[in-house]
Amino acid sequence: MWIRNIVLLLESMHWPSWLQPYVEVLLLWISWAVDYVDWDYLEYLAWLFLPLLIAFILPVLLLLFIYGCVIFLHIYGLRNRIREAYASSLWDGARISIASFWDAVGHVWHGYEIRGLENVPDEGPALFVYYHGTLPLDVYYVIAKCMLHKRRTLHCVGDKFIFKMPGWGLICKVFCITPGTVEDCIARLRDGHLLCIAPGGVREALFSDPAHYNIMWARRLGFAKVILGCPGTPVIPMFTENCRDAFRIPHCGRKVFRWIYEKTRLPLCPVYGGFPVKMMFVLMNVVRL
């Protein structure tokens, strides 16, 4: 067994006198493990639970993707610090690069398609209202599509905890993510920007029924105040098919996690998945109020 060979190699090596007792204890523990642990059974358990481990590791991979984008933005910003004083479109190159990356991820991972992109105006404001999936991957893909095909930046309303995430401040700034006060949303629409809001927010993302996709707006009617504050602004409902099948929340302990969220407003809830399901994003016809 290869572990025994390592033990023999370590025993044959000459160690400093002060380190020798610790090495002997370590080798004693390793020898005991080799003699008494059923390695075949451990290997069986590893293969048995491997799919479960992968299901919880893939959301971490998504987090690494986001931090990769953050690191890219910091490097990009350092390389273009001098140009920032002379060019108002400093971050356009970074936005296009990251949008291309997420567009490729959506195409490969979820076969992502979008219907109704022609409903997105080429200029002027529009308000997008959407159902919040477990993780907003579909929104990343829509941002990428709007940027690559419409050359427009889709401003997004994000939960307050996003702005407390280490290192996320820059990516929120570059991709125009806002905490979403009514006044700020109205100002962005009056400035002619595209804005998307998920009225259900994190509560809907974590605790909506994955079988029925029920909306959980409760009394969160800030988006309605935004519409009233900008009369005549096009409103575009949008929805992603299978957005709750890509990532899920464990059913066990959901009431406890819901109680924690209501008390702290923090999404302290495990997420598993990363399943390569087909995603179809539908931009519905424009509604004018």
Side-chain angles (χ1 to χ4, degrees):
M1 192 175 183
W2 61 272
I3 298 181
R4 291 187 181 277
N5 295 332
I6 294 177
V7 171
L8 293 175
L9 177 63
L10 293 175
E11 288 178 345
S12 63
M13 295 176 65
H14 296 285
W15 302 94
S17 57
W18 62 271
L19 188 59
Q20 185 68 32
Y22 300 101
V23 174
E24 291 177 355
V25 172
L26 176 62
L27 295 178
L28 183 63
W29 277 98
I30 295 175
S31 300
W32 177 87
V34 170
D35 293 334
Y36 293 98
V37 173
D38 190 343
W39 294 98
D40 292 333
Y41 182 65
L42 288 180
E43 184 179 2
Y44 162 76
L45 291 178
W47 282 105
L48 179 64
F49 290 104
L50 183 61
L52 186 62
L53 292 174
I54 292 175
F56 282 94
I57 288 174
L58 284 177
V60 178
L61 181 63
L62 177 63
L63 187 64
L64 293 178
F65 281 173
I66 296 175
Y67 271 107
C69 294
V70 171
I71 293 171
F72 170 78
L73 287 175
H74 279 286
I75 296 173
Y76 185 92
L78 290 174
R79 287 176 58 87
N80 294 274
R81 183 178 296 173
I82 298 176
R83 290 172 53 193
E84 187 174 11
Y86 302 96
S88 59
S89 58
L90 166 69
W91 295 107
D92 283 353
R95 291 191 190 99
I96 295 298
S97 300
I98 293 177
S100 300
F101 168 76
W102 283 105
D103 189 54
V105 170
H107 177 73
V108 174
W109 198 348
H110 294 115
Y112 187 79
E113 294 182 18
I114 185 168
R115 293 178 183 172
L117 189 61
E118 66 277 2
N119 293 328
V120 179
D122 294 325
E123 58 183 17
L127 178 64
F128 298 79
V129 180
Y130 69 98
Y131 172 85
H132 203 310
T134 307
L135 294 179
L137 261 185
D138 51 336
V139 178
Y140 301 166
Y141 301 155
V142 172
I143 291 173
K145 290 290 186 183
C146 288
M147 198 162 293
L148 296 175
H149 297 280
K150 289 288 187 175
R151 298 298 177 183
R152 301 203 64 184
T153 300
L154 181 59
H155 295 225
C156 296
V157 174
D159 197 271
K160 293 179 181 178
F161 85 90
I162 292 177
F163 302 91
K164 299 177 182 178
M165 294 287 290
W168 284 30
L170 181 59
I171 198 168
C172 290
K173 171 187 173 183
V174 172
F175 282 90
C176 306
I177 300 174
T178 171
T181 63
V182 173
E183 294 76 15
D184 182 65
C185 292
I186 291 175
R188 289 174 186 253
L189 290 174
R190 287 179 176 173
D191 289 340
H193 297 299
L194 303 177
L195 178 68
C196 68
I197 299 177
V202 175
R203 182 184 290 107
E204 184 175 84
L206 298 180
F207 306 112
S208 177
D209 188 340
H212 299 94
Y213 287 69
N214 56 306
I215 61 175
M216 301 180 68
W217 292 2
R219 297 183 179 180
R220 303 182 68 170
L221 301 177
F223 76 100
K225 296 178 182 178
V226 172
I227 295 173
L228 294 175
C230 295
T233 298
V235 179
I236 305 176
M238 57 187 193
F239 176 76
T240 303
E241 298 177 6
N242 298 325
C243 64
R244 297 205 73 89
D245 293 321
F247 293 91
R248 290 202 170 193
I249 303 296
H251 184 74
C252 180
R254 179 168 293 198
K255 291 184 178 179
V256 175
F257 295 128
R258 176 71 180 271
W259 180 85
I260 293 174
Y261 172 76
E262 298 297 345
K263 293 296 182 181
T264 65
R265 287 296 187 269
L266 294 175
L268 302 177
C269 190
V271 177
Y272 71 95
F275 307 117
V277 298
K278 174 73 173 179
M279 280 191 176
M280 177 68 71
F281 197 91
V282 181
L283 289 166
M284 302 176 191
N285 293 330
V286 176
V287 178
R288 294 184 182 273
L289 301 175

